[in-house]
Structure formats: C-alpha cells, structure tokens
Amino acid sequence: MATQLTALGLEPDFPGLSADVNVAGDGLVRLGAIRPEAAQLLAELIVSGLAKEMADHSEALAQEAREGRHNSSAA
C-alpha cells in the first residue's frame, strides 16, 4: 500500500508514510498523523479497490461457469 500511495503521488498527504513488517512477517503500513481529507481519500481508494476486486472475482466466476457449460455440452 505504501508503494501504491507513493506511485500515485500521495506521499505528501501521508507525511509519516513507511512500510514495515511485524515479528510474524506481516506487512504494516504506517501513515503518521494525517488530515481528515487524506483519511477520506484513503477510504475512497480502499472502497474503489475492493469494488474492482469484487468485480474481477465475479467476472472470473462467470467465466468459469461459461467454460463449465461449454465443457459439459461437448462431452
């Protein structure tokens, strides 16, 4: 996430932005103190990313279903 925020040029909105890992090796992103507008922007980015992920997943399931129908009718 830190890499993506930096790539989008949003680093100034997150002055304490840094990436790290905890003792279990799980990724952590530190944002530091941020303005309410930056928090709102981050929330919108997360929601749009989740919506895209869900749409991609739905499309993959639909594709699998189409392939399953095609394969079963060919048998």
Side-chain angles (χ1 to χ4, degrees), residues 27 30 39 42 49 51:
R30 298 179 196 281
L42 182 58

Side-chain angles (χ1 to χ4, degrees), residues 4-5 10-11 17-18 22 26 28 31 36-37 42 47 56-59 62 66 71 74:
Q4 292 170 339
L5 291 171
L10 298 175
E11 207 166 358
L17 185 62
S18 66
N22 65 15
D26 300 321
L28 299 173
L31 301 175
E37 295 84 6
L42 182 58
V47 167
D56 291 349
H57 182 69
S58 294
E59 178 56 34
R66 287 190 294 272
N71 291 340

